[in-house]
Amino acid sequence: MLNRSFLVALSLAVLVGTASAETIRVAVTPGPHAQILEAVKPVAAAKGLDIEILEFSDYVVPNQALDAGEIEANSFQNQPYLDNQKADRGYRIEPVAPTVNFPLGVYSRKWKSWDEVPEGASIAIQNDPTNGGRSLLLLQDKGVIRLKDGVGFKPTVIDIVENPKKLRFVELEAAQTPRALDDVDAAAINTNYAVSAGLDPVKDPILKEDAKGPYVNLIAVRAVDKDKPWVKTLVDSYRSPEVKAFVLETFKGSVLPSW
């Protein structure tokens, strides 16, 4: 009888615990963002927060879905991108914590180094202002092009004032840049899409961005939700020692934790 009573009490405790768990939906892009959030899930679950992960293959939908209340949070973008989205679309979305940095790289299947890239070469960059601008700033930092003064974090190809190699820029959706490698001389590719395409973000780039503060990714929520208890639980779970160890061991320098 004692054993039976104990089992009944244990079952009731499990049911109560399950019923009290809060569930949130978090949008990510495929690749490292999704992998990291999978590592966050058990940490959050131990704190009473269940995370449902939704993957989107582009950079537009996660903010649309968040602003519409179809999800509770997203984890895929940096501050310049979020600022641009809010300015253009009026989203009421706020960052609540920095997460990881993905140094941007320029990749090529035709050339082993940037010095081999010929005059008039075609270079694929992202067609959204933040990521495309980030790629142009990388090229400027490496002395490939020069941009006019005062362009901030969102330059476009029309802001190029010096282009010694007469490079031709092909603007594509960020998710399509890895697929363009067979058709262009080189492509600027965000790390999450590079990893998904089987590229090594540490060894494969022929040019690589230095880590920069503005490009650290972040967790975003709706402005009306930012002070809710589950937000702190999500942030604490993400920025935990367990998740940091996972990032360092899994990505070996291609993804850098901010904490």
Side-chain angles (χ1 to χ4, degrees):
M1 289 297 293
L2 180 61
N3 288 341
R4 183 178 178 183
S5 298
F6 174 76
L7 290 173
V8 170
L10 180 61
S11 297
L12 288 173
V14 170
L15 288 173
V16 170
T18 301
S20 64
E22 186 171 7
T23 299
I24 61 168
R25 299 158 294 180
V26 183
V28 293
T29 44
H33 280 303
Q35 291 174 263
I36 295 169
L37 207 59
E38 287 287 356
V40 175
K41 280 185 69 171
V43 181
K47 301 176 186 290
L49 184 66
D50 290 332
I51 298 175
E52 179 184 348
I53 301 172
L54 303 175
E55 293 188 24
F56 295 99
S57 61
D58 63 50
Y59 284 157
V60 177
V61 178
N63 280 334
Q64 289 178 339
L66 180 57
D67 188 68
E70 297 169 0
I71 57 175
E72 283 66 50
N74 64 41
S75 177
F76 79 102
Q77 64 192 318
N78 55 46
Q79 190 68 56
Y81 184 82
L82 176 58
D83 290 344
N84 185 69
Q85 289 268 289
K86 290 172 65 175
D88 287 352
R89 303 176 183 231
Y91 290 150
R92 293 158 297 179
I93 298 171
E94 297 296 332
V96 291
T99 55
V100 291
N101 187 40
F102 296 72
L104 183 72
V106 175
Y107 300 77
S108 177
R109 289 204 174 112
K110 298 178 179 178
W111 313 106
K112 294 181 179 179
S113 71
W114 180 259
D115 290 339
E116 296 180 8
V117 175
E119 184 173 315
S122 55
I123 310 297
I125 65 171
Q126 307 87 333
N127 65 0
D128 65 90
T130 303
N131 286 294
R134 182 179 178 181
S135 296
L136 294 175
L137 288 169
L138 164 59
L139 293 174
Q140 175 172 255
D141 288 343
K142 301 304 179 182
V144 175
I145 59 173
R146 189 170 74 82
L147 301 164
K148 69 181 181 182
D149 294 336
V151 293
F153 292 112
K154 296 189 293 183
T156 68
V157 292
I158 64 173
D159 295 318
I160 299 172
V161 293
E162 290 182 14
N163 182 6
K165 281 193 171 185
K166 299 180 174 59
L167 302 172
R168 295 180 294 110
F169 291 95
V170 181
E171 297 178 271
L172 304 169
E173 290 186 9
Q176 302 299 319
T177 52
R179 301 176 189 176
L181 280 174
D182 290 331
D183 301 317
V184 297
D185 288 282
I189 304 175
N190 296 80
T191 296
N192 57 316
Y193 292 128
V195 171
S196 297
L199 298 167
D200 185 331
V202 175
K203 298 178 182 178
D204 290 342
I206 58 175
L207 290 176
K208 188 175 180 181
E209 179 185 67
D210 297 327
K212 293 180 181 176
Y215 297 119
V216 173
N217 287 266
L218 52 87
I219 296 170
V221 302
R222 292 190 302 159
V224 296
D225 291 337
K226 65 179 183 178
D227 295 321
K228 290 185 176 178
W230 63 260
V231 174
K232 184 178 187 305
T233 303
L234 173 60
V235 169
D236 289 347
S237 300
Y238 196 114
R239 294 172 60 84
S240 64
E242 300 96 316
V243 174
K244 183 175 186 177
F246 171 82
V247 172
L248 294 173
E249 174 62 27
T250 302
F251 303 108
K252 302 186 186 305
S254 63
V255 181
L256 304 173
S258 65
W259 69 99

